[in-house]
Amino acid sequence: MRYKIAFFGMVFCTLFLFLPPSLESGTLTSVFRVTDQPAAIVRGTSGSTLTVNISFGDVEVENWIRELQAPYPLLLVDMDWADRFPETVRQINEKNIPVGLLGNSGTAYEEEPALLADQLKRFETKFGAKPLWFRTMDERFPASLKKQLWEAEVNALGSTFIWSGGKVPPPQEGEIIAVPHHRHERVKLSALDSLSKGRTFRPLEDVLFSTTVKTKKIPE
């Protein structure tokens, strides 16, 4: 009997070490459980990653994509923009730059339930695969949209902070930085160099896939 108790005790300790419990349920969760409950990812645990929201721009964006070097930022792309600039889309595909879907405002998906399915289909046509990442224009994810994303197996991605130019904040571990490039809110792509001072940008997956990842619960 004592041997059995000792054996099960060793098993329990091993599981505890390699599968630590989530802390502050709803705030921290194991990265391997990210898809176990609907949540918008807003932060990882180490390093910094850059994401750029693109819904506007022609020559500037095309030239920036042409000169872009790895490690690449994650591009969140509006599908109307992608339809207008197929040559830039071709460059993104050729360079294998990671790309996700940039949607409308969160409320648009409550008003038009079929909108997400249409955008996912258009994205797959342009980029050859369903997006792994999805972000609304305002980073709001209502319950109905959350459910659709869950069923489509697409991750809701927010950000730690949005940089719209100006003073660059000090680095934070696990930060996901969002930079807007829209008609009415636009950071010049040449200004992104200032963000890299004091930071070494890493792919989003590297920042997220650590022991734990911070998430923001989506309100029902």
Side-chain angles (χ1 to χ4, degrees):
M1 177 63 72
R2 285 181 304 191
Y3 294 113
K4 289 184 178 180
I5 292 173
F7 172 76
F8 286 115
M10 291 175 62
V11 171
F12 176 80
C13 291
T14 302
L15 290 174
F16 183 83
L17 288 172
F18 288 97
L19 296 173
S22 61
L23 304 176
E24 299 178 15
S25 181
T27 304
L28 296 179
T29 183
S30 168
V31 71
F32 301 107
R33 297 177 56 204
V34 165
T35 58
D36 284 354
Q37 56 183 344
I41 301 168
V42 299
R43 193 167 188 168
T45 56
S46 64
S48 304
T49 195
L50 177 64
T51 66
V52 183
N53 302 337
I54 300 177
S55 67
F56 178 82
D58 47 13
V59 176
E60 180 188 5
V61 177
E62 184 177 352
N63 291 339
W64 179 67
I65 294 295
R66 184 181 300 114
E67 300 298 325
L68 201 58
Q69 300 294 322
Y72 300 123
L74 172 66
L75 308 183
L76 282 301
V77 172
D78 170 76
M79 292 317 302
D80 289 340
W81 175 86
D83 286 340
R84 292 193 301 271
F85 301 103
E87 175 58 26
T88 306
V89 169
R90 184 188 65 78
Q91 287 187 39
I92 292 171
N93 286 331
E94 283 189 353
K95 297 185 73 170
N96 201 28
I97 298 173
V99 60
L101 173 59
L102 179 66
N104 298 24
S105 63
T107 56
Y109 298 91
E110 295 179 302
E111 298 166 357
E112 190 178 348
L115 179 58
L116 178 64
D118 176 67
Q119 291 177 332
L120 290 175
K121 184 177 180 180
R122 291 169 65 190
F123 184 97
E124 190 165 358
T125 299
K126 292 287 183 184
F127 296 99
K130 183 170 63 176
L132 181 61
W133 307 104
F134 172 86
R135 175 182 286 161
T136 56
M137 190 73 72
D138 54 6
E139 295 195 15
R140 295 181 181 273
F141 299 86
S144 57
L145 174 59
K146 172 189 66 178
K147 182 179 179 181
Q148 283 187 293
L149 290 169
W150 174 261
E151 293 174 348
E153 299 181 341
V154 177
N155 294 297
L157 181 67
S159 66
T160 310
F161 69 88
I162 300 171
W163 187 68
S164 298
K167 184 178 180 180
V168 178
Q172 305 174 46
E173 283 297 321
E175 64 188 357
I176 300 171
I177 305 172
V179 175
H181 196 76
H182 312 307
R183 179 182 294 275
H184 300 296
E185 184 184 13
R186 184 165 71 256
V187 173
K188 288 187 176 181
L189 298 173
S190 58
L192 295 181
D193 289 342
S194 62
L195 267 178
S196 63
K197 294 179 180 178
R199 290 175 167 85
T200 300
F201 286 126
R202 296 160 53 186
L204 176 60
E205 288 77 6
D206 288 356
V207 171
L208 293 181
F209 295 151
S210 299
T211 304
T212 58
V213 58
K214 295 185 178 180
T215 65
K216 178 170 61 180
K217 286 293 240 180
I218 306 167
E220 296 289 343

